[in-house]
Amino acid sequence: MSINLKHVGAAVGVYASAVGLSFAYIRSRSAPPSSCCCDAKVVPFAERSTEQYEKIARVYDDKISMDESVMGIGFLRSHLIGTRARGRVLEVAAGTGRNLGYYKFREADLPWWLRLLGSAAEGSVTELVLCEKSRSMAEVVSEKVARLARASSCLNNVRVDVGDCTDLSKYPDEMFDTVIDTFGLCSFDDPVAALREMQRVCKKDGGRILLIEHGRTNTWAWLDKVLDDGKDKHIELWGCEWNRDIDQIIRDSKLEVEWCDKWHFGTTRVIAARRGKRLDK
Ligand SMILES: C[S@@+](CC[C@H](N)C(=O)[O-])C[C@H]1O[C@@H](n2cnc3c(N)ncnc32)[C@H](O)[C@@H]1O
């Protein structure tokens, strides 16, 4: 059977367009109940964002689950975190703990001969610290961790810290083997500062920084315009700036990107990186 390349190309094009348009549509529709900013006072982004996460924490999972399924976000989380998070892990801006199910914890109680075979010890997570700024989001993720810990002893090595990831001074330099952020750079008041702190606490030798982020495409002007035009509404609904230039943020942070995959017309980036060599200069 011969494959007609034109047909394959057309099918891929139609699929990509559908996903791109769905992204713009889904992310701007049905959102959690939000506050009404009726006064003319200009509220700084950080305040608007924090206030919104406090409000939507309890409904966040219900509201976003369907959208994430349609967009295949679970696949991206599993692809990045399930296969690459290892050792002592810090996840910043953990939200409601949507990555929790993808971590592969070390099965410490496997027999030695199985561990010798490799898979259990290599590439597995020994400890997980979840850092989250919003108290309400942190409450939700703490409850989830407690529930999961009752079901699996591996989850006993998970801790939730309420804190701001632009100041991780409570963790020493190079404390973690893997540092993770998913969909956080769009919400941080100072995303470059957050990335620099994430690099500081990540091991110089063998440490990895894993990111899934959304932002402007820097390729498709029409789609970037949709994001720019919908920015204020999106902050009001979801607490994040969806039109940020992730490439520029990463360059400014001096992160050393190993690879970057683009999805959803380039609005989503999946990135594996290392602590930048120029960070300390
Ligand atoms: C869009 S949610 C993403 C949640 C989660 N990472 C996920 O993948 O579903 C962004 C999260 O970042 C948190 N956040 C915003 N600024 C933060 C900061 N400076 N430090 C830590 N967390 C922050 C918010 O409270 C919110 O939970």
Side-chain angles (χ1 to χ4, degrees):
M1 191 182 75
S2 68
I3 297 172
N4 185 325
L5 283 179
K6 271 191 199 155
H7 289 166
V8 173
V12 170
V14 169
Y15 172 76
S17 310
V19 169
L21 290 169
S22 308
F23 173 83
Y25 170 70
I26 280 172
R27 286 287 183 154
S28 61
R29 70 165 181 92
S30 68
S34 66
S35 59
C36 170
C37 293
C38 300
D39 51 20
K41 183 174 91 149
V42 179
V43 184
F45 169 76
E47 223 174 282
R48 289 168 78 188
S49 171
T50 308
E51 188 187 321
Q52 192 56 12
Y53 285 118
E54 290 300 335
K55 253 183 210 131
I56 64 182
R58 293 273 157 198
V59 293
Y60 190 81
D61 281 339
D62 286 346
K63 293 289 177 188
I64 210 157
S65 290
M66 173 66 102
D67 298 358
E68 289 206 353
S69 303
V70 170
M71 294 174 66
I73 301 295
F75 165 76
L76 300 183
R77 292 180 192 275
S78 145
H79 165 64
L80 190 72
I81 291 167
T83 58
R84 289 179 179 81
R86 57 166 206 94
R88 197 180 237 187
V89 178
L90 171 70
E91 181 182 334
V92 302
T96 56
R98 298 189 64 77
N99 291 325
L100 266 179
Y102 300 102
Y103 286 104
K104 295 220 167 69
F105 292 92
R106 186 171 65 178
E107 296 283 350
D109 44 9
L110 278 180
W112 65 268
W113 52 271
L114 247 185
R115 256 182 276 137
L116 253 190
L117 289 178
S119 65
E122 247 291 293
S124 54
V125 173
T126 53
E127 187 188 334
L128 173 62
V129 177
L130 302 167
C131 163
E132 168 55 50
K133 183 176 169 192
S134 149
R135 288 199 172 271
S136 307
M137 295 294 249
E139 255 170 46
V140 174
V141 69
S142 301
E143 288 164 17
K144 231 182 238 183
V145 168
R147 254 193 331 270
L148 291 169
R150 283 195 287 276
S152 160
S153 59
C154 301
L155 267 285
N156 290 328
N157 276 343
V158 182
R159 185 177 94 218
V160 178
D161 284 349
V162 178
D164 187 330
C165 67
T166 59
D167 174 12
L168 298 172
S169 49
K170 69 163 101 167
Y171 312 116
D173 291 3
E174 301 195 56
M175 176 171 170
F176 298 98
D177 299 289
T178 315
V179 182
I180 295 178
D181 174 53
T182 58
F183 304 109
L185 292 182
C186 52
S187 304
F188 304 152
D189 197 24
D190 186 345
V192 174
L195 277 180
R196 293 180 78 97
E197 274 294 81
M198 289 166 67
Q199 291 177 79
R200 182 186 63 74
V201 299
C202 186
K203 287 197 173 133
K204 276 183 188 160
D205 290 329
R208 273 267 173 77
I209 295 162
L210 306 176
L211 308 170
I212 306 178
E213 305 295 346
H214 70 124
R216 61 194 314 104
T217 70
N218 289 333
T219 306
W220 304 98
W222 65 271
L223 188 47
D224 289 341
K225 184 167 182 329
V226 171
L227 301 180
D228 290 341
D229 292 348
K231 173 183 135 176
D232 278 328
K233 185 168 177 225
H234 197 78
I235 297 174
E236 193 188 314
L237 299 175
W238 292 101
C240 83
E241 276 184 343
W242 69 347
N243 63 339
R244 285 191 178 173
D245 188 337
I246 301 297
D247 298 331
Q248 187 62 48
I249 290 170
I250 285 178
R251 276 195 298 275
D252 291 346
S253 78
K254 300 189 171 162
L255 194 67
E256 210 168 285
V257 174
E258 286 183 321
W259 52 261
C260 168
D261 289 342
K262 293 182 188 172
W263 293 81
H264 310 125
F265 259 56
T267 53
T268 306
R269 281 163 169 69
V270 181
I271 296 167
R274 289 189 188 282
R275 181 183 159 125
K277 290 196 182 71
R278 294 176 299 142
L279 183 69
D280 303 320
K281 289 178 189 153

